[in-house]
Amino acid sequence: MAELIVALDVASRGEAVEKVKTIGDAVGFYKIGLELFAAEGPDVVKAVRDLGKRVFLDLKFHDIPRTVERAVKSAARLGVNLLTIHASGGRAMVRAAADAAAEFGEEAPKILAVTVLTSMDAQDLADIGVAGRTPAEQVRAVASLAVDSGADGLVCSPLEVGSLSRSLRPGTIFVTPGVRPAGSALGDQKRVATPAEAVRDGATHLVVGRPVLAAPDPVAAARAIVQEIGG
Ligand code: C5P
């Protein structure tokens, strides 16, 4: 069964707690990203956990293996359930993250790899030395590298999840942002899928921000998505 994760894209711990309380039982999983973490640090993770929610910490670690290993352990001690690294950090870095998480046994956070940022096109890739591959080819290459090196799953766009879920090993987690319920505003998202489409293509978790947080009735908006994905 796919799960809804609401992106807590707010600037302060106070706002985050207010949103989580407002949404209540309708959502059990929240994503904390760079904006909120840079402002409030581990306290905001603790605050969301204290409200009984699971946390996806989206800090996209990308550093030498030893540093990533230690950062993953720090995040795991906060009790997060999912966290992100950049697959382009290479095999040793992904392996270091996976091994660090595994030390936490049953409580281990799942490691998700980010492949190619959706903001990058072929020219951006060429500029950083990835020439001769389309973004889609680069996504496939680093997705395989990440999963082969121990990552539990991937963050991928709704347009990529179908081919990746068919080609990677069963049990891989696919977390998909860029999801828009039919009729909701796109905001700055350009290539979107509905919740049902993303899940049909293999998404195991959907990350949705504004369609829930900015809805006139966030509880109803969240419940409608959960119902659409069969929760
Ligand atoms: O408000 P919205 O539903 O567009 O929020 C999507 C969330 O997923 C944001 O936190 C955004 O940073 C994140 N995300 C994304 N596209 C990616 C990777 C992450 O929208 N390729």
Side-chain angles (χ1 to χ4, degrees):
M1 184 88 69
E3 192 157 15
L4 171 64
I5 303 176
V6 169
L8 269 179
D9 292 329
V10 297
S12 72
R13 177 176 136 164
E15 262 181 280
V17 166
E18 186 200 308
K19 295 286 187 194
V20 173
K21 284 185 173 165
T22 302
I23 296 168
D25 291 342
V27 173
F29 217 148
Y30 286 89
K31 179 170 88 74
I32 294 175
L34 286 167
E35 178 191 6
L36 186 54
F37 195 83
E40 301 282 6
D43 281 355
V44 71
V45 175
K46 293 191 188 117
V48 174
R49 298 230 336 120
D50 286 347
L51 292 168
K53 306 302 179 186
R54 281 166 294 150
V55 172
F56 166 17
L57 188 61
D58 183 21
L59 302 181
K60 299 185 182 68
F61 295 151
H62 189 176
D63 210 313
I64 58 171
R66 180 176 185 275
T67 301
V68 168
E69 174 202 323
R70 294 165 80 94
V72 166
K73 287 182 182 169
S74 294
R77 282 184 212 108
L78 293 176
V80 305
N81 302 85
L82 292 174
L83 63 86
T84 43
I85 61 172
H86 270 285
S88 53
R91 289 185 193 280
M93 193 206 85
V94 177
R95 172 58 60 198
D99 289 348
E103 288 184 23
F104 290 78
E106 297 266 289
E107 309 281 292
K110 301 288 188 196
I111 303 291
L112 303 176
V114 174
T115 56
V116 178
L117 295 172
T118 49
S119 52
M120 296 186 80
D121 63 15
Q123 184 60 52
D124 293 313
L125 288 180
D127 289 347
I128 58 166
V130 183
R133 266 190 194 161
T134 65
E137 288 165 342
Q138 177 69 359
V139 166
R140 279 198 293 278
V142 290
S144 300
L145 174 154
V147 171
D148 290 348
S149 305
D152 298 292
L154 299 164
V155 179
C156 58
S157 84
L159 302 186
E160 296 160 352
V161 69
S163 69
L164 291 174
S165 66
R166 284 190 295 275
S167 64
L168 293 169
R169 64 169 164 70
T172 302
I173 299 169
F174 292 98
V175 178
T176 306
V179 174
R180 289 290 179 268
S184 75
L186 294 189
D188 55 358
Q189 299 281 11
K190 296 200 172 105
R191 293 171 298 161
V192 300
T194 65
E197 286 165 344
V199 170
R200 187 200 59 210
D201 287 343
T204 58
H205 298 73
L206 305 181
V207 172
V208 180
R210 289 160 290 182
V212 171
L213 293 187
D217 182 347
V219 174
R223 288 203 196 285
I225 295 170
V226 171
Q227 192 180 15
E228 183 175 333
I229 61 179

